[in-house]
Amino acid sequence: MKLTRKRLILTCGALTLALLMAVLLSLKLGAVPISIGDFFLSLGRAVLRGDELPSEYRLFVFEIRLPRILLGVLVGAALAVAGAGFQALLRNPLADPYVLGVSSGAALGAILSLAVAGRASVATPLAAFAGALASIAAVYFLGQREGQLDSFTLLLAGIICASFLSAVIMFLMTTLAGQHLRGMAFWLMGDLSAPAPVPLGWLFIVLALAVGAIYTTAADLNLLLSGEQEALHLGVEVGRVKLVVYLASSVLTGLAVSVSGAIGYVGLLVPHAIRMLFGSDYRLLLPATALGGAIVVVLADTLARTVVAPTELPPGAVTAMAGAPFFIYLLRRRLE
Amino acid sequence: MALLVLLATVAGGAQQLGYREVTDEVGRRVPVPATIRRLVSLAPSLTETVFALGADRLLVGVTDYCDYPPEAAAKPRVGGIVNPSIERIAALQPDLVLASLAANRRETVNAVERLGIPVYVTGARSVEGVLDSMRRLAELLGLAERGEALLGELRTTLDAVNQRLAGRAPRRVLFIVWEEPLISVGRDTFLADALRRAGAESVIETGQDWPRLNLEEVLKLQPEFLVFADAQPDAAARVLAGLRQRRGWRYLEAVQQQRVAVISDAVNRPSPRLVEAIEQLARQLHPEAFAPGAPTPRGLR
């Protein structure tokens, strides 16, 4: 399938529309169902005529659901693009945002701050981000060979760092524990209900910068698909491309994990699903993956907070349970 | 319950060997020596109960988390609650180990039992169950009289609270175990029962023991009070200041009207101090019932 401008616009347009539908569905469903039509009518009146917006909308839409949905969009897009980035960088279809230890670093940071402060606070996600950055730096220096990032050295360094950090987390959780254990465990399973410690706008700027940085390498990543030597001969600055993709994907992972804990499978499944549906040209794959990841996480979180109401499921459990069968379906369909 | 009590009575055959067979609170048959000299406790609540019964000299081992009363910290440690050292338990040569269904793992109980050390497991799911469990422990340790005295005190406190609350509508509360994600307690826990005893009912009705809740549901249900358990009794102001800043939470009527009750974290342990915590909570939820002018229940205090 050759990528034309028309196909790029059509595909991304359709996915944007799907994301919009997912967002509206998520706004509608919940403990107090919201009529979307009435909501927009009231919103229109509030904007045009300066009427007071009913408190029900102010509370459930603006105070609770919308920030949570936007957080889901952010986390989904970040994880999915990071997954696509790591799969390209490591040239390994099993790579996901967590494979290089970024999430373990973030989890360790969060757990340390919980242990020190005694309860969840603004410092928790910030400590998680610091932990992610520290593990990114460590893996980056361990992953070099002759001054260059080497895919296989990087993968091994990442996996070893991840298992080392997981062991430290295990150690802390068995020795500190007490009643914080339950909060920590939920944190490791993912959670979108906690508000982000900094304004969402800033987080979206970081998201846009990191996705944009990976997008500048899209044409080079296409050439890298056929192998590093081949790409070098075709004039690709392989070292620079790898550095950009590694740093941007790591920042995306750190961003997602620090505000939501570890939500699994999105970074692994979404890029592959998009590849199967729309082909593997990175110029289309990257924006489509971002939109796909956002759709998946928004829908998963909507299910997570409605199916067993009044209680909630961890969204990571929903992405895995619903994602795996869908993925197998796509895989079988492609083989036939 | 009556059946359990019946089963727990002495089995004649085993007694001649210096052992009697009792059925513990999860239905396991446990051969217990007629006289217990060396006891290991695998849960802070059990350690507290043993101390309250005045049997602390029997305790030869406790967990790392057994911090009340302070003297408990001086006892030899056997490790954590979830992962105690089986070797250290064995080295202490106890003739009975006490474990709790809620706190300990089945694997730990099995591993200790395989060494030939009897393990008695408690499993209270209500305040009455906690009291009953104390009575059975007292009997097991040959301290039935001391047990009755302790139970009498606790029941007096509970009855006094109960009488003061008589005729008052229960407060609709949310007990908060963890804020982000929001975790509360289910109806089948002794905590939910403790809330009922303190003149409160949880706005959440679920069979899960530690339900993870959606804040939207709580906003819809608008509990009258939020209840927290904290080690510091003066934590209410700090907790409230935090909640007023928090998205969503600040719309809770309980937060806006500063109706936050903070009670001793002893409420998390099914031990004698649970009763104290119940009284504390009742005083905060129904201050008018405990006001100096309020009619004192007849024949009590």
Side-chain angles (χ1 to χ4, degrees):
Chain A
M1 268 192 289
K2 203 181 159 307
L3 182 67
T4 57
R5 180 171 287 272
K6 189 176 156 205
R7 201 161 80 81
L8 181 69
I9 291 172
L10 274 179
T11 310
C12 290
L15 284 170
T16 308
L17 205 65
L19 176 60
L20 218 61
M21 302 291 283
V23 168
L24 288 179
L25 183 74
S26 190
L27 270 185
K28 181 175 177 54
L29 299 177
V32 175
I34 299 281
S35 154
I36 295 296
D38 289 352
F39 165 65
F40 278 107
L41 248 130
S42 308
L43 188 66
R45 274 195 216 113
V47 173
L48 297 176
R49 299 212 308 243
D51 288 1
E52 178 104 346
L53 195 67
S55 67
E56 178 194 342
Y57 294 141
R58 246 183 325 176
L59 172 55
F60 287 103
V61 174
F62 287 102
E63 186 89 359
I64 299 191
R65 277 182 214 164
L66 201 55
R68 185 164 173 166
I69 291 168
L70 290 176
L71 197 64
V73 168
L74 176 94
V75 166
L79 287 178
V81 172
F86 282 124
Q87 283 156 19
L89 175 69
L90 303 171
R91 280 189 287 131
N92 185 328
L94 287 178
D96 79 346
Y98 304 139
V99 73
L100 294 185
V102 184
S103 71
S104 308
L108 182 59
I111 286 168
L112 277 177
S113 88
L114 280 177
V116 172
R119 62 191 322 130
S121 68
V122 178
T124 314
L126 295 178
F129 195 64
L133 286 182
S135 61
I136 290 167
V139 173
Y140 172 73
F141 285 110
L142 293 172
Q144 290 185 45
R145 207 163 117 181
E146 290 158 7
Q148 289 265 321
L149 267 190
D150 177 75
S151 297
F152 291 104
T153 314
L154 189 68
L155 184 60
L156 282 178
I159 288 173
I160 287 165
C161 273
S163 42
F164 174 76
L165 291 170
S166 304
V168 176
I169 291 171
M170 289 286 199
F171 174 79
L172 284 178
M173 287 185 75
T174 40
T175 49
L176 299 170
Q179 75 151 315
H180 307 314
L181 189 63
R182 205 163 284 120
M184 288 179 189
F186 273 107
W187 205 88
L188 288 173
M189 289 159 76
D191 174 35
L192 287 169
S193 70
V198 291
L200 270 173
W202 299 10
L203 300 179
F204 272 98
I205 291 174
V206 177
L207 173 77
L209 287 176
V211 173
I214 298 180
Y215 196 79
T216 60
T217 69
D220 295 337
L221 288 178
N222 284 340
L223 297 175
L224 261 172
L225 280 177
S226 48
E228 237 169 80
Q229 288 304 319
E230 289 76 359
L232 270 173
H233 289 309
L234 291 168
V236 175
E237 293 173 74
V238 176
R240 187 187 59 83
V241 169
K242 279 184 182 171
L243 182 66
V244 168
V245 173
Y246 172 66
L247 288 181
S249 303
S250 300
V251 167
L252 286 174
T253 311
L255 179 75
V257 178
S258 59
V259 293
S260 70
I263 296 179
Y265 288 86
V266 177
L268 181 65
L269 295 184
V270 173
H272 285 303
I274 296 288
R275 251 185 224 109
M276 290 179 209
L277 290 168
F278 306 115
S280 48
D281 188 320
Y282 275 91
R283 288 168 299 171
L284 172 61
L285 184 66
L286 289 171
T289 297
L291 290 165
I295 294 170
V296 165
V297 171
V298 168
L299 288 180
D301 189 48
T302 309
L303 281 176
R305 63 184 177 76
T306 51
V307 284
V308 290
T311 59
E312 280 191 19
L313 293 168
V318 180
T319 53
M321 265 197 288
F326 176 67
F327 186 71
I328 289 169
Y329 163 74
L330 282 180
L331 198 63
R332 301 304 308 175
R333 207 186 65 163
R334 201 178 59 153
L335 290 177
E336 274 159 18
Chain B
M1 191 58 78
L3 184 70
L4 278 180
V5 174
L6 195 71
L7 285 172
T9 48
V10 177
Q15 201 175 26
Q16 284 152 8
L17 303 166
Y19 277 86
R20 57 201 165 120
E21 199 171 75
V22 300
T23 303
D24 71 6
E25 294 170 30
V26 293
R28 295 164 56 256
R29 297 178 147 258
V30 188
V32 176
T35 329
I36 292 156
R37 291 193 184 84
R38 299 178 67 81
L39 193 59
V40 166
S41 156
L42 295 182
S45 63
L46 293 167
T47 303
E48 287 195 39
T49 306
V50 172
F51 267 88
L53 289 169
D56 50 295
R57 65 193 161 75
L58 300 180
L59 265 183
V60 293
V62 298
T63 72
D64 293 343
Y65 300 95
C66 294
D67 53 3
Y68 190 92
E71 298 91 297
K75 294 282 182 185
R77 309 283 187 84
V78 297
I81 297 166
V82 186
N83 54 346
S85 159
I86 305 297
E87 285 189 22
R88 250 192 270 167
I89 296 172
L92 291 168
Q93 298 186 313
D95 39 31
L96 182 67
V97 170
L98 300 177
S100 146
L101 178 66
N104 303 115
R105 290 190 310 146
R106 192 177 193 93
E107 288 80 356
T108 307
V109 172
N110 290 346
V112 174
E113 203 170 37
R114 218 170 293 136
L115 298 172
I117 302 169
V119 186
Y120 183 89
V121 182
T122 62
R125 282 193 165 266
S126 65
V127 175
E128 196 52 49
V130 173
L131 294 181
D132 197 52
S133 179
M134 287 177 205
R135 188 184 54 71
R136 274 130 94 25
L137 275 184
E139 246 167 51
L140 206 60
L141 302 177
L143 296 162
E145 266 178 52
R146 181 75 188 93
E148 287 306 324
L150 175 65
L151 242 61
E153 283 170 40
L154 296 177
R155 281 196 199 285
T156 308
T157 310
L158 279 177
D159 288 345
V161 170
N162 203 24
Q163 291 211 13
R164 283 189 184 272
L165 298 180
R168 289 177 196 276
R171 299 286 196 187
R172 299 170 53 257
V173 306
L174 182 71
F175 186 90
I176 294 165
V177 176
W178 195 263
E179 292 158 50
E180 276 166 6
L182 176 56
I183 301 171
S184 186
V185 293
R187 81 173 103 81
D188 297 331
T189 57
F190 73 88
L191 269 165
D193 193 45
L195 291 179
R196 288 191 278 273
R197 297 287 190 131
E201 62 177 9
S202 177
V203 290
I204 293 295
E205 174 74 18
T206 167
Q208 289 178 46
D209 282 355
W210 306 103
R212 170 174 173 161
L213 297 181
N214 186 324
L215 185 58
E216 283 184 23
E217 293 285 347
V218 180
L219 279 158
K220 191 177 82 177
L221 297 167
Q222 289 290 0
E224 290 174 82
F225 273 87
L226 301 182
V227 182
F228 290 84
D230 202 291
Q232 280 122 28
D234 54 350
R238 172 172 55 79
V239 169
L240 197 59
L243 293 181
R244 300 188 95 151
Q245 305 285 322
R246 194 165 293 175
R247 211 179 62 205
W249 290 77
R250 58 188 174 202
Y251 278 81
L252 280 172
E253 283 161 23
V255 173
Q256 287 170 353
Q257 295 167 21
Q258 314 201 11
R259 286 194 309 245
V260 170
V262 176
I263 51 172
S264 156
D265 58 353
V267 78
N268 292 326
R269 293 180 183 177
S271 72
R273 282 195 300 156
L274 173 64
V275 170
E276 233 173 89
I278 290 174
E279 192 189 354
Q280 273 179 18
L281 181 59
R283 282 177 185 277
Q284 292 181 62
L285 297 182
H286 300 274
E288 66 293 337
F290 292 87
T296 321
R298 209 153 28 89
L300 289 164
R301 305 222 161 154

